[in-house]
Amino acid sequence: MSVSTGTYNASSDDLGSPTAKITTGVVDLANVNATTDNQINSTTTTAPSNTTAAPTTPAPLVADTNVTILNASITKDNCSKTQLCVSQPSGCDPSSGTCFFLGAQQLGGQNFRFSLAGQSDGYVALTLSRNTTQGTNDTTYICANNNNVVKYISALLNNGKLTPTTLKVNNVKGKVSGKNIQCQFDATVPDSTSTTTRADTSTTNFAMAVSNGTYNAASDDLGSPVFQIRTNVVDLSNVTATITNLISSNSTNTTTTSAANAITIQQSLMQALLITVAILSLSWL
């Protein structure tokens, strides 16, 4: 191959003799990795490898906790399609009923969009932990009812106490209707080297917890969280991951069943006593 320059007369279309700038040896043009020598100055150039560059990891978000109005209700429509979901009761839709709900959609890298809904006079919150024992400086995202509008607060949960902090959260939207609080926000979840979470082999593996609690709008005081949902450790980027709510309703069912059994036994004893009294009464006649 040869690359050259030369004169050109636009009026007559005459082309001057070429002056070679690059002249190579014989190479296979189909071989993108072929080594070519410029025989004019003997400078060796190697063609770039035909390798696709690795995708750029999205940068962490810039913190901005200003809240705008959430116009559309949070819904379960995209669960297992574009977002990982968990709810209590299981399968409930926060757009048409009252329930605790969490959706997590990966935006790229450590950046996620979270959708949170629940019932409270104070706040609803999402806590991320590297294992199922929440409460050791765990990242917590809080949507509080501040005089019927949502106020967003970042905090760390440690031994049942929430301490406000600054987290990489922005694009916060929310609304309050009675006791129903709904909010949506983008957040950069902590990676495995973060000092605020325990180490893990995967940067997007977390146990999640949804809670509610009291909030004092005048003092910004946050009450201790009451967990409504606690999950196993799951990969937040896997929208079809299997999630187990570790807060089981079995204890409630057992209590209800036991109470019902006790009532049934009491009713049977009462009926037996009435029958005995009736028989004794007839025997005296």
Side-chain angles (χ1 to χ4, degrees):
M1 298 179 292
S2 180
V3 177
S4 60
T5 61
T7 61
Y8 170 67
N9 189 317
S11 299
S12 61
D13 267 355
D14 287 342
L15 295 166
S17 297
T19 301
K21 300 297 182 180
I22 300 174
T23 299
T24 74
V26 177
V27 293
D28 181 0
L29 301 186
N31 181 6
V32 296
N33 295 312
T35 299
T36 58
D37 295 327
N38 183 358
Q39 297 178 350
I40 292 177
N41 57 18
S42 300
T43 300
T44 301
T45 58
T46 303
S49 174
N50 187 21
T51 303
T52 302
T56 303
T57 302
L61 301 175
V62 176
D64 181 359
T65 58
N66 290 320
V67 181
T68 59
I69 297 297
L70 179 66
N71 293 316
S73 292
I74 291 172
T75 176
K76 71 170 186 176
D77 288 350
N78 291 320
C79 292
S80 300
K81 297 176 184 177
T82 60
Q83 65 176 348
L84 176 68
C85 299
V86 61
S87 61
Q88 177 60 37
S90 178
C92 74
D93 191 341
S95 66
S96 58
T98 57
C99 64
F100 289 89
F101 176 89
L102 172 65
Q105 177 182 358
Q106 188 177 33
L107 301 177
Q110 298 296 110
N111 298 336
F112 283 80
R113 175 162 296 163
F114 292 105
S115 299
L116 180 64
Q119 289 71 55
S120 177
D121 288 323
Y123 69 80
V124 293
L126 161 64
T127 297
L128 298 180
S129 175
R130 287 295 175 181
N131 59 40
T132 56
T133 306
Q134 284 90 0
T136 306
N137 282 335
D138 290 330
T139 300
T140 302
Y141 310 98
I142 301 167
C143 294
N145 181 349
N146 183 25
N147 298 316
N148 296 316
V149 295
V150 167
K151 178 176 182 177
Y152 174 80
I153 304 170
S154 293
L156 296 179
L157 176 62
N158 190 38
N159 295 325
K161 183 179 180 180
L162 290 165
T163 303
T165 187
T166 299
L167 298 174
K168 296 178 176 65
V169 174
N170 65 30
N171 194 26
V172 185
K173 301 177 182 179
K175 65 178 181 179
V176 177
S177 178
K179 290 187 176 184
N180 294 323
I181 301 174
Q182 294 194 353
C183 65
Q184 189 176 77
F185 54 90
D186 299 342
T188 302
V189 299
D191 60 27
S192 58
T193 61
S194 170
T195 58
T196 61
T197 56
R198 292 172 291 283
D200 191 87
T201 56
S202 173
T203 56
T204 58
N205 273 23
F206 292 94
M208 300 178 290
V210 177
S211 61
N212 59 1
T214 60
Y215 171 68
N216 187 318
S219 62
D220 265 355
D221 286 342
L222 296 162
S224 297
V226 178
F227 293 117
Q228 306 297 330
I229 298 173
R230 290 176 58 241
T231 78
N232 52 315
V233 176
V234 295
D235 182 357
L236 302 189
S237 67
N238 181 6
V239 298
T240 60
T242 300
I243 298 181
T244 302
N245 185 359
L246 302 179
I247 299 179
S248 174
S249 60
N250 290 340
S251 58
T252 301
N253 291 340
T254 300
T255 302
T256 302
T257 302
S258 298
N261 289 339
I263 293 172
T264 301
I265 293 172
Q266 289 176 350
Q267 290 174 337
S268 298
L269 290 173
M270 184 62 68
Q271 290 174 351
L273 179 60
L274 290 175
I275 292 172
T276 301
V277 170
I279 293 173
L280 290 173
S281 298
L282 289 173
S283 65
W284 284 100
L285 296 176

